[in-house]
């Protein structure tokens, strides 16, 4: 399939989507942003357990997967981490590898996974990964799974409103386990209001870098 999301490279190694006119990660430090927003924002690694399931809107460069798998291994987890990502425009493996090279602390892990990029599934002793390609507004409602933690990582709501529509956010809530969580770099009021109305309790908390605030959410346990 033809690549549908051409890139510009800013400062040599920061990929910017020309389709959405938005960088794939923070211009300050993409890895630290991931750790702050998605790992800390979902109370990881404290909540990890065998079979813990993360779902993500926006696979992008694969940075979030690398960061969370590194955390899983570094924190001594046993068993398998499950990770499902919804992505409309998968990047070619060469672009993923180039973008990941900007983060030396992930180099060994990135090299290990490089042969798997471009595949819909990755099965490792400690990882079960699935990439669901297509418009998440169509694919998520039909997904049979449920996530213990959501990484809501589409391009900014102003640039990529399709991934922040109320109907899709309600599907995120519906596909969240009791006691499950979600996190996003965005603090947009309509995102919090929609998630709240769908049964999650949201909080605006300090963001990373230039972003003053971000959003975390939790679904009530049964």
């Amino acid at each position: 399939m033809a690549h549908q999301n051409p890139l510009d490279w800013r400062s040599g190694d920061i990929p910017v989507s020309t389709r959405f006119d938005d960088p794939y990660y923070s211009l300050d430090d993409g890895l630290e942003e991931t750790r702050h927003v998605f790992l800390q924002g979902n109370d990881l690694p404290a909540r990890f357990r065998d079979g813990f399931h993360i779902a993500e809107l926006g696979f992008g460069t694969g940075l979030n997967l690398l960061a969370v798998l590194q955390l899983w291994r570094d924190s001594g987890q046993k068993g398998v981490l499950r990770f499902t990502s919804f992505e409309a425009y998968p990047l070619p493996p060469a672009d993923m590898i180039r973008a990941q090279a900007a983060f030396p602390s992930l180099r060994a892990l990135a090299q290990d996974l490089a042969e798997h990029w471009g595949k819909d599934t990755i099965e490792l002793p400690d990882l079960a990964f699935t990439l669901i390609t297509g418009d998440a507004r169509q694919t998520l409602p039909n997904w049979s799974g449920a996530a213990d933690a959501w990484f809501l990582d589409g391009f900014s709501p102003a640039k990529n409103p399709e991934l922040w529509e109320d109907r899709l956010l309600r599907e995120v809530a519906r596909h969240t386990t009791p006691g499950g969580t979600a996190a996003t770099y965005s603090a947009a009021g309509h995102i919090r209001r929609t998630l709240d109305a769908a049964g999650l309790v949201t909080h605006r908390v300090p963001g990373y870098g230039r972003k003053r605030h971000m959003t975390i959410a939790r679904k009530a346990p049964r």
Side-chain angles (χ1 to χ4, degrees):
M1 185 176 72
H3 180 31
Q4 301 180 62
N5 200 6
L7 301 181
D8 282 338
W9 293 88
R10 189 170 300 173
S11 303
D13 57 10
I14 297 175
V16 177
S17 167
T18 57
R19 184 184 189 93
F20 296 106
D21 187 29
D22 211 21
Y24 273 86
Y25 44 71
S26 170
L27 301 179
D28 297 317
D29 186 326
L31 178 56
E32 285 306 310
E33 178 188 43
T34 287
R35 289 168 172 163
H36 178 85
V37 174
F38 299 117
L39 305 187
Q40 296 177 32
N42 282 292
D43 194 22
L44 305 177
R47 296 173 57 226
F48 278 154
R49 56 170 172 76
D50 183 18
F52 190 85
H53 197 161
I54 293 168
E56 172 184 61
L57 292 183
F59 184 55
T61 65
L63 177 60
N64 295 339
L65 173 62
L66 292 177
V68 74
L69 183 57
Q70 183 183 67
L71 182 64
W72 177 272
R73 293 177 177 181
D74 288 351
S75 57
Q77 303 300 317
K78 306 296 183 186
V80 176
L81 173 67
R82 300 171 65 201
F83 194 109
T84 301
S85 191
F86 296 83
E87 173 60 61
Y89 305 107
L91 288 177
D95 285 339
M96 293 179 63
I97 291 167
R98 179 176 173 182
Q100 294 162 9
F103 306 104
S105 64
L106 295 176
R107 181 172 295 131
L109 182 57
Q111 289 174 346
D112 287 346
L113 267 63
E115 66 183 277
H116 299 286
W117 303 138
K119 301 176 182 176
D120 292 334
T121 60
I122 302 174
E123 296 287 342
L124 301 176
D126 58 356
L127 175 67
F129 169 80
T130 302
L131 179 66
I132 298 177
T133 303
D135 188 330
R137 296 173 296 179
Q138 299 170 2
T139 57
L140 178 54
N142 296 320
W143 185 46
S144 61
D148 299 299
W150 274 96
F151 296 177
L152 304 181
D153 197 23
F155 292 110
S156 72
K159 305 288 183 65
N160 185 199
E162 297 85 357
L163 273 190
W164 306 97
E165 289 182 359
D166 290 357
R167 185 178 63 176
L168 181 57
L169 293 176
R170 288 195 293 269
E171 289 293 337
V172 166
R174 189 169 73 86
H175 289 84
T176 302
T177 60
T181 60
T184 176
Y185 62 84
S186 177
H190 88 271
I191 294 173
R192 300 199 311 277
R193 288 190 295 271
T194 301
L195 292 175
D196 282 333
L200 276 64
V201 178
T202 65
H203 297 279
R204 192 174 70 167
V205 298
Y208 176 77
R210 309 172 201 197
K211 293 186 181 295
R212 183 177 299 177
H213 298 111
M214 56 173 271
T215 301
I216 59 174
R218 183 177 293 271
K219 192 171 188 176
R222 284 204 181 101

